[in-house]
Amino acid sequence: MAKNISFTLKYWKQNGPKAEGHFDTREMKNIPDDTSFLEMLDILNEELINEGQEPFVFDHDCREGICGMCSLYINGHPHGPATGATTCQLYMRRFSDGEVITVEPWRSAAFPVIKDCMVDRSAFDKIIQAGGYNTVRTGQAQDANAILIPKEVADEAMDAATCIGCGCCVAACKNGSAMLFVSSKVSQLALLPQGRPEAARRAKAMVMKMEELGFGNCTNTRACEAECPKNESIANIARLNREFIKAKLAD
């Protein structure tokens, strides 16, 4: 049975990438603990609007843990304290009555703040674009099994493909590295025969674009893996390193 909790909410306010930001504080009263975190922010904005104040800006879309838009840094954790879950899948029962909850944007030079806790993650789109496309003709739907792939390989590729590009790995990394994201996108194709023709070019292009856009280097602290809402493995990073080294040796 749901119960109500009251808590102190500290949320980040910033008018743009060059503006100086600050925390606003608000006492949230009698919020049902079966309310999702984003629904709680909706309640906050209703209160602010009713008082004639500017609402708090944050990203959201599907609210089903699929799109990766709900990119909030909550109490020191990307997406909050729940493991294997996005912000929209986080419920207020995770927090205690009287707690102080701090909400911040992703902190990365490659993700400039648009407003408040909404950041520009178009850098990820540019990395994907650098990866290009596959030239393999996959045929019609009924031809999907024409190229036989062992189930364990297909499962591993599907695991890599579950990355939703939310940027949590960048936010969790002390260096702001995008290696888990890039390696997941490289791995989902590198594991499959359809992805092999462009494998070398793809690995080089995506790594070079990542570095160009200002993401940091990976130092294997595994914070990205620990915080990832889709439980992506750093085994993908090892695969990306192998793909990149093989491509450079081939040059």
Side-chain angles (χ1 to χ4, degrees):
M1 183 175 178
K3 64 177 182 179
N4 291 347
I5 62 171
S6 298
F7 51 89
T8 300
L9 183 67
K10 294 177 63 179
Y11 53 98
W12 185 255
K13 296 289 290 181
Q14 185 174 341
N15 285 326
K18 303 298 183 182
E20 185 174 343
H22 66 276
F23 282 106
D24 277 357
T25 302
R26 190 174 188 86
E27 298 299 322
M28 302 296 292
K29 302 290 186 181
N30 299 319
I31 304 298
D33 68 356
D34 60 355
T35 301
S36 77
F37 199 87
L38 295 190
E39 289 170 340
M40 180 273 293
L41 294 179
D42 291 338
I43 295 171
L44 165 68
N45 279 340
E46 287 179 7
E47 293 181 0
L48 292 172
I49 291 169
N50 288 337
E51 295 169 6
Q53 299 186 51
E54 189 178 67
F56 169 59
V57 177
F58 60 96
D59 255 331
H60 62 93
D61 192 0
C62 75
R63 300 200 177 199
E64 295 179 345
I66 298 170
C67 70
M69 293 294 288
C70 53
S71 49
L72 295 175
Y73 204 85
I74 305 164
N75 284 358
H77 294 275
H79 291 300
T83 56
T86 53
T87 302
C88 61
Q89 296 172 308
L90 176 67
Y91 287 84
M92 299 312 298
R93 56 179 168 265
R94 281 274 180 176
F95 302 95
S96 303
D97 192 61
E99 188 171 348
V100 176
I101 302 174
T102 304
V103 182
E104 302 171 73
W106 283 173
R107 304 288 190 180
S108 170
F111 293 158
V113 170
I114 297 173
K115 187 172 177 62
D116 299 347
C117 283
M118 178 185 286
V119 300
D120 181 359
R121 286 173 293 172
S122 60
F124 272 9
D125 297 328
K126 294 173 183 176
I127 293 173
I128 293 294
Q129 289 166 1
Y133 59 91
N134 294 336
T135 56
V136 170
R137 296 184 180 275
T138 56
Q140 301 299 313
Q142 62 267 28
D143 299 325
N145 293 324
I147 301 176
L148 298 180
I149 300 170
K151 185 179 185 304
E152 60 272 18
V153 174
D155 288 346
E156 194 172 359
M158 183 60 74
D159 288 343
T162 59
C163 169
I164 56 177
C166 65
C168 167
C169 50
V170 177
C173 179
K174 64 182 181 181
N175 298 328
S177 173
M179 281 290 281
L180 190 61
F181 165 75
V182 175
S183 65
S184 296
K185 297 306 178 186
V186 166
S187 291
Q188 72 185 59
L189 294 172
L191 285 160
L192 302 176
Q194 294 93 332
R196 293 313 304 168
E198 284 82 27
R201 184 205 58 78
R202 182 185 304 111
K204 287 190 296 182
M206 293 180 76
V207 169
M208 290 171 63
K209 179 59 70 173
M210 174 182 66
E211 293 177 351
E212 175 191 321
L213 292 169
F215 292 101
N217 295 318
C218 174
T219 49
N220 291 315
T221 58
R222 303 182 73 171
C224 55
E225 182 184 59
E227 299 285 3
C228 177
K230 297 302 176 182
N231 299 312
E232 292 291 342
S233 170
I234 62 166
N236 291 328
I237 297 178
R239 184 176 298 104
L240 172 60
N241 288 335
R242 290 195 298 270
E243 292 289 325
F244 183 78
I245 290 170
K246 285 191 294 185
K248 296 299 284 186
L249 289 174
D251 287 346

